[in-house]
Structure formats: C-alpha cells, structure tokens
Amino acid sequence: AQKVTQAQTEISVVEKEDVTLDCVYETRDTTYYLFWYKQPPSGELVFLIRRNSFDEQNEISGRYSWNFQKSTSSFNFTITASQVVDSAVYFCALREGYSTLTFGKGTMLLVSP
Amino acid sequence: DAGVTQSPTHLIKTRGQQVTLRCSPKSGHDTVSWYQQALGQGPQFIFQYYEEEERQRGNFPDRFSGHQFPNYSSELNVNALLLGDSALYLCASSSRRAPGTDTQYFGPGTRLTVL
C-alpha cells in the first residue's frame, strides 16, 4: 500500500530564512508520481510540482527547489529566502500508476516578518 | 481559462439530512475526483468519475454517492449526515486524454458543517 509521511507538523521561520519540508514515501510500484501542493488559509490546494519516478533530476523554480532521491524514498521541498506569503500548509502526495492521490498529513509553514 | 469551481462555498446541515455538492472541472478536463479533508488532516480520496461512471472509490460508506454529467461536471451526495462528515470537500479535475495531463487541479472546496 502506498503511504506518504511528512514528519514535520509545523515549522516556524523568520522571513528570508531558507526552509526545507521533508517528504518520505512508500510504494511497491516502479512507476509512480510525486506531487507537492500548497494550501493557503483560503483552503484551495494549489499545484506546485509533479515528478515522475523515472526522472530523478532535481528542479528549481524561482525560490522553490525540489530534491528527489529514490534511494531514500524522499522528495523534499526547499524554499529559499522565505517570505510571509509562503505561509501555508504544504502537502506531499503520491500516485501509483493511474490510481488516485495519497496525501501526507501536511506541514504548516509559518513565516514571520 | 476558468479553473475548477465548486458550489456552495459553505453549508450548514443537521444530522440525518442529505447534502449535494457541485463541481465544474477545469476547461479541457474530463475526470473529476472528490476528496474529504478533516481539520488538520490531509485530503482523503472519496471517488473518481470518468465518462459518467465511478472508476475508483476510497474507503467511504455507501452514504457517499456521486454523479458525472455529459459536460463533465459532477455532484457529490451525502445521505444521513453524521457529525463526523463535517469537513472541507475538495473537487479535483484532470484529463486522461494525453500523457502528462493527468495532474489533478483542485477547486476552492465546500466547507460542510453538520450540527
């Protein structure tokens, strides 16, 4: 069975600090997909990134970067120079083949000025 | 390009009542999935509709049912409401038409409160 673990329940940082959100997953499939979503207080889940199991290349998008390591079953998310607008709950999710998404419990990020 | 829309935004019901939530997918999407998100938890998969049929279902009782219309919009119905059904209900749409288009995009959700 697939499982996603986000061990960090809540993280508090001061603006301009770098912060890394951890995600560890479990799956028996060789083909799977990993996702990160952001959920601001408004409630809507905003898609951030998708990564396929056969593509371990790390990705950078502005202040956001993702580190995918199959050897440790991890897909960590780093925000560089955090801003107050980054405050939200962040969810890591896993999909095996064409099945549906399995989410972690989320990490609440609080960025204070 | 309109994103996923859901209605209503908020809803208050009493135990035993029935509720219907609605979702319109993102333009070009043909698949709708529904999730329940309890306070402080990650979303839990309820079911997925494609071509007007339920294709996959999560661990939810038969009180939860759904429908997909020819225009790809969808409804989620919950009968005999329980206090534990209070949650944010999220709709997500995606496409099965081409590889890489199956990323799920979410709507703003409907917050259901059962008293």
Side-chain angles (χ1 to χ4, degrees):
Chain A
Q2 52 187 8
K3 182 180 178 181
V4 176
T5 301
Q6 295 180 254
Q8 305 150 308
T9 304
E10 184 174 321
I11 301 175
S12 293
V13 298
V14 177
E15 229 178 358
K16 298 184 183 177
E17 284 186 25
D18 298 347
V19 58
T20 296
L21 310 181
D22 297 333
C23 173
V24 174
Y25 62 92
E26 295 178 27
T27 177
R28 295 179 181 176
D29 277 18
T30 55
T31 300
Y32 56 89
Y33 306 85
L34 296 163
F35 302 81
W36 276 95
Y37 287 87
K38 173 182 180 180
Q39 188 173 43
S42 61
E44 181 172 349
L45 280 168
V46 178
F47 166 72
L48 296 178
I49 191 170
R50 164 196 174 121
R51 178 60 68 212
N52 305 329
S53 56
F54 42 87
D55 180 7
E56 281 194 77
Q57 192 172 22
N58 293 325
E59 183 158 337
I60 298 175
S61 177
R63 297 184 297 106
Y64 295 171
S65 62
W66 291 268
N67 183 6
F68 176 29
Q69 291 194 341
K70 289 177 73 171
S71 60
T72 56
S73 297
S74 65
F75 186 42
N76 297 335
F77 173 30
T78 297
I79 301 175
T80 302
S82 59
Q83 299 177 1
V84 173
V85 293
D86 294 328
S87 296
V89 180
Y90 290 85
F91 289 96
C92 179
L94 166 69
R95 197 186 85 209
E96 295 174 335
Y98 289 98
S99 72
T100 62
L101 293 171
T102 296
F103 285 86
K105 292 189 175 182
T107 297
M108 178 178 287
L109 174 64
L110 300 173
V111 182
S112 55
Chain B
D1 180 20
V4 181
T5 60
Q6 291 186 244
S7 62
T9 306
H10 295 87
L11 206 50
I12 299 176
K13 292 286 188 178
T14 57
R15 280 177 296 175
Q17 284 189 313
Q18 178 264 344
V19 67
T20 297
L21 311 182
R22 295 176 176 82
C23 171
S24 291
K26 187 177 169 69
S27 177
H29 285 183
D30 54 14
T31 303
V32 173
S33 303
W34 287 92
Y35 293 81
Q36 180 194 66
Q37 186 179 17
L39 203 60
Q41 300 295 316
Q44 297 291 315
F45 172 69
I46 303 175
F47 42 56
Q48 184 181 82
Y49 277 84
Y50 171 66
E51 291 186 334
E52 302 179 50
E53 289 188 16
E54 182 182 294
R55 300 293 177 167
Q56 297 185 60
R57 189 178 182 92
N59 189 25
F60 279 80
D62 293 344
R63 298 187 298 108
F64 289 77
S65 63
H67 188 77
Q68 186 179 34
F69 300 94
N71 67 353
Y72 308 118
S73 66
S74 176
E75 287 182 350
L76 163 65
N77 301 294
V78 186
N79 294 323
L81 285 167
L82 304 174
L83 295 179
D85 294 331
S86 295
L88 179 67
Y89 288 85
L90 293 162
C91 168
S93 75
S94 56
S95 172
R96 294 192 180 200
R97 293 194 179 113
T101 63
D102 52 355
T103 294
Q104 293 187 19
Y105 291 86
F106 286 79
T110 293
R111 186 161 298 281
L112 172 64
T113 302
V114 182
L115 302 176

